[in-house]
Amino acid sequence: MIELKNVYFSYGDKPVLKDVSFTVQDSEAIVIMGPSGSGKSTVLRLILGLECPQQGDVLVDHRSVCRISPPELREIRKKIGMVFQDGALFDSLTVGENVGYYLIEHTKLKWREIEERARTMLGFVGLDADELIDKLPDQLSGGMRRRVAIGRALLSTDPKIMLYDEPTTGLDPYATRNILNLINKLHTERSISSIVVTHQIADAFAVADRFVVISRGQVVFDGTLKELRQSRDEQVVAFLAPFRSSMEGVVKRKFIEEPE
């Protein structure tokens, strides 16, 4: 589904990624981890074609996102949903208008049908449409905004791939659990491939089939949780050292249980 091949990327004279290669298979969930400033979010921008590598290639569905025409890139992006750290909702639009934005701008559907679809999607992401559809984003909690953003991405393009950039940063434990459960729901029920960038180790354990660790712009680990535990790479060991005790006995949980 996605492949990065020997990617080098710099912002000006500042190297960010150096010889980065990994793949994401159809219906696979991976987490990209690593220290701050290691280039994790840049990987998402490259997959979307918002940036192009100076060397190497980025392929989605076997097509290079930087070597195709703008119309072809738009078609590729229709397969990808993106959830930014802050949700990136339109402040002046209601929740319903945010969720239905793509349909408003790119179809001739009447508002009644768009609203109906928006309501259905809000229900799917676990929100009460009757309560929220006419509210503005600044009237919502952080967790609600993230779920609205996921709903907008799903209704916009019916994606086969979802990209999440620090989706739980700044959220309380209850909101975090809701977002992680929703990520897993999309993966299991809709077979959507997902790439989650996070520095929250517990979140990574909850959603990942596979882990990619980037340090100083290079991939220093790519494998399963069992392999991650057994890694002796110095950079991986140093990054995970504060979390070793919490890793013991952990397996991926498709859904996180509610607390007692």
Side-chain angles (χ1 to χ4, degrees):
M1 183 65 81
I2 298 171
E3 183 176 9
L4 274 70
K5 299 173 65 175
N6 308 111
V7 166
Y8 288 78
F9 180 79
S10 301
Y11 287 111
D13 58 358
K14 180 184 176 182
V16 178
L17 299 174
K18 294 173 281 187
D19 199 22
V20 168
S21 297
F22 66 86
T23 62
V24 183
Q25 302 299 328
D26 190 23
S27 303
E28 186 177 28
I30 78 163
V31 164
I32 301 177
M33 302 186 297
S36 297
S38 59
K40 303 184 298 296
S41 295
T42 299
V43 169
L44 302 186
R45 295 181 60 81
L46 289 166
I47 292 170
L48 283 167
L50 299 175
E51 306 284 359
C52 289
Q54 283 81 30
Q55 296 181 49
D57 209 353
V58 180
L59 295 92
V60 177
D61 248 359
H62 308 290
R63 289 186 288 177
S64 170
V65 296
C66 289
R67 300 181 185 179
I68 55 178
S69 67
E72 289 176 306
L73 181 57
R74 284 194 293 272
E75 289 303 309
I76 287 286
R77 286 176 175 166
K78 288 180 181 179
K79 300 181 179 181
I80 304 173
M82 177 73 199
V83 178
F84 297 93
Q85 185 176 139
D86 60 358
L89 300 177
F90 299 110
D91 293 337
S92 60
L93 300 183
T94 66
V95 167
E97 290 166 340
N98 266 285
V99 174
Y101 183 78
Y102 180 87
L103 300 180
I104 294 170
E105 292 293 311
H106 299 285
T107 73
K108 296 181 179 180
L109 294 175
K110 294 182 178 179
W111 170 246
R112 181 180 299 175
E113 184 172 352
I114 294 173
E115 180 181 5
E116 182 178 341
R117 294 190 186 187
R119 284 178 175 275
T120 300
M121 185 55 67
L122 287 170
F124 179 81
V125 299
L127 296 173
D128 185 335
D130 289 337
E131 179 184 350
L132 300 177
I133 196 164
D134 293 323
K135 288 189 174 182
L136 294 172
D138 64 4
Q139 296 175 284
L140 307 181
S141 67
M144 287 179 176
R145 286 196 295 272
R146 305 284 168 84
R147 282 190 277 172
V148 170
I150 293 171
R152 180 178 64 183
L154 293 173
L155 194 57
S156 295
T157 61
D158 190 20
K160 303 302 180 186
I161 304 162
M162 286 291 292
L163 310 179
Y164 305 89
D165 191 3
E166 301 284 2
T168 62
T169 295
L171 300 184
D172 61 52
Y174 180 78
T176 294
R177 183 170 58 250
N178 284 335
I179 294 300
L180 297 177
N181 281 340
L182 181 54
I183 291 172
N184 279 329
K185 181 179 181 180
L186 295 177
H187 180 219
T188 58
E189 293 186 10
R190 294 199 172 191
S191 299
I192 292 177
S193 301
S194 58
I195 301 179
V196 181
V197 165
T198 183
H199 64 277
Q200 306 287 347
I201 301 299
D203 295 359
F205 294 161
V207 299
D209 295 323
R210 207 174 91 238
F211 301 82
V212 173
V213 180
I214 297 179
S215 181
R216 300 175 186 174
Q218 295 180 300
V219 173
V220 295
F221 177 83
D222 182 348
T224 64
L225 178 59
K226 180 180 179 180
E227 293 166 337
L228 185 66
R229 287 199 192 101
Q230 297 172 345
S231 175
R232 296 295 179 262
D233 182 278
E234 291 182 1
Q235 294 179 77
V236 176
V237 171
F239 174 66
L240 294 177
F243 315 102
R244 281 291 176 184
S245 61
S246 64
M247 291 173 64
E248 296 305 319
V250 172
V251 295
K252 182 184 175 183
R253 294 165 291 167
K254 287 293 184 183
F255 293 95
I256 304 170
E257 295 179 359
E258 296 289 338
E260 295 289 340

